[in-house]
Amino acid sequence: GENVGLHLPTLSVQEGDNSIINCAYSNSASDYFIWYKQESGKGPQFIIDIRSNMDKRQGQRVTVLLNKTVKHLSLQIAATQPGDSAVYFCAESGNTGNQFYFGTGTSLTVIP
Amino acid sequence: DAGVTQSPTHLIKTRGQHVTLRCSPISGHKSVSWYQQVLGQGPQFIFQYYEKEERGRGNFPDRFSARQFPNYSSELNVNALLLGDSALYLCASSRQVVEEKLFFGSGTQLSVL
C-alpha cells in the first residue's frame, strides 16, 4: 500500500489562531488528494481537494497546498474555531478506481 | 437529500460468526466503497463497486466479500470473524468510478468478542 503519513499526530491551537496540518505522501504518480475531517462517532467529512496540476486551492477558511517536488501536502485553517476540533486525514488517490490511501490522522484541539 | 446511510450502527458478534453490513449511497451515486477503520488509524480500503461490478479490492482476506445491487446499495459480508476484525466499517459513495471525492456514512461499529 501507499505510505501516506502525517508529521504530527496531535496539534493544539488557541481559538482564533491559524492551524497548519501537514501530510507526506510517497507515490509521485498520485494525482488527486483530499483532506477529510472526522469528529468522534462520525464518518470522515470532505473538506477540500486538490489535483496534481495545481499547487494551491482555497475554500472557506481552508487552504490546501501541494508540493509535488517533496511530495508534501498541507491544510491551513484560518481563524480556528472550537468546532474545528477533530481528527484530520489526508487521502491520496490510488492507481485503480476510486481507491484512496489515508494517513494516520492529526488530532486538532482548539483551546478556547 | 439523505447522505450515505449505513446499518446497523453498532453490532456485537463472537469469533467465528458471520456479519452483513448494509449501505445506501447518496441518490445518483453509482459507486460504493467500503473502508475499515481501526481505532487510532486512518480508514483502509476494502472494496469498490461501480455499476454492480467490483472495481477494486484492498489487501483483505477472502473472508471479506461484498456486492452491489441494481439500486446501487451494497452489502459487506465478513465470514469467520476474528477479534482483529473489530473496527468501524465505513461506506462511501461517489458519482463516478475514478478520482472523485468520497462521501462517507457514519459507519457500523463492529465488536468481535
Side-chain angles (χ1 to χ4, degrees), chain B residues 22-44:
Chain B
R22 296 177 174 82
C23 171
S24 293
I26 292 172
S27 178
H29 287 196
K30 298 182 179 180
S31 175
V32 170
S33 299
W34 288 95
Y35 284 76
Q36 180 195 65
Q37 186 176 23
V38 174
L39 188 63
Q41 298 183 17
Q44 185 174 0

Side-chain angles (χ1 to χ4, degrees), chain A residues 8 10 13 18 39 42 53 55 61 66 73 76 85 91 105:
Chain A
L8 295 172
T10 62
V13 298
N18 296 334
E39 297 174 284
K42 297 183 179 180
N53 60 351
D55 54 18
R61 284 202 306 120
L66 175 61
L73 197 68
Q76 300 178 0
S85 294

Side-chain angles (χ1 to χ4, degrees), chain A residues 30-32 34 36 38 41-46 49 51 89 93-94 96-105, chain B residues 31 33 35 37 40-43 45 48 55-57 88 90 94 96-106:
Chain A
S30 293
D31 56 9
Y32 181 48
I34 305 177
Y36 282 96
Q38 188 173 25
K42 297 183 179 180
Q45 176 187 358
F46 171 86
D49 58 359
R51 298 193 182 273
F89 294 98
S93 64
T96 60
N98 210 26
Q99 174 181 347
F100 286 87
Y101 296 99
F102 284 76
T104 306
Chain B
S31 175
S33 299
Y35 284 76
Q37 186 176 23
Q41 298 183 17
F45 174 75
Q48 183 198 2
R55 293 302 192 101
R57 184 186 184 112
L88 179 67
L90 295 162
S94 60
Q96 303 297 332
V97 66
V98 294
E99 294 191 351
E100 188 180 76
K101 59 189 176 187
L102 300 174
F103 292 86
F104 284 88
S106 293

Side-chain angles (χ1 to χ4, degrees), chain A residues 2 25-31 33 52 68-69 71 92 95:
Chain A
E2 305 298 332
Y25 65 94
S26 60
N27 185 1
S28 57
S30 293
D31 56 9
F33 304 86
S52 60
K68 295 180 285 294
T69 302
K71 292 183 287 187
E92 167 189 14
N95 295 325

Side-chain angles (χ1 to χ4, degrees), chain A residues 9-19 21 77 80-88 106-112:
Chain A
T10 62
L11 178 65
S12 294
V13 298
Q14 290 290 140
E15 181 178 358
D17 287 352
N18 296 334
S19 302
I21 301 173
I77 305 174
T80 314
Q81 303 169 359
D84 295 327
S85 294
V87 177
Y88 289 80
T106 291
S107 178
L108 174 66
T109 300
V110 181
I111 304 168

Side-chain angles (χ1 to χ4, degrees), chain B residues 59-78:
Chain B
N59 187 24
F60 280 81
D62 292 342
R63 299 185 295 106
F64 288 75
S65 64
R67 55 179 175 168
Q68 186 177 32
F69 300 98
N71 66 353
Y72 304 111
S73 67
S74 177
E75 285 183 352
L76 175 69
N77 294 284
V78 186

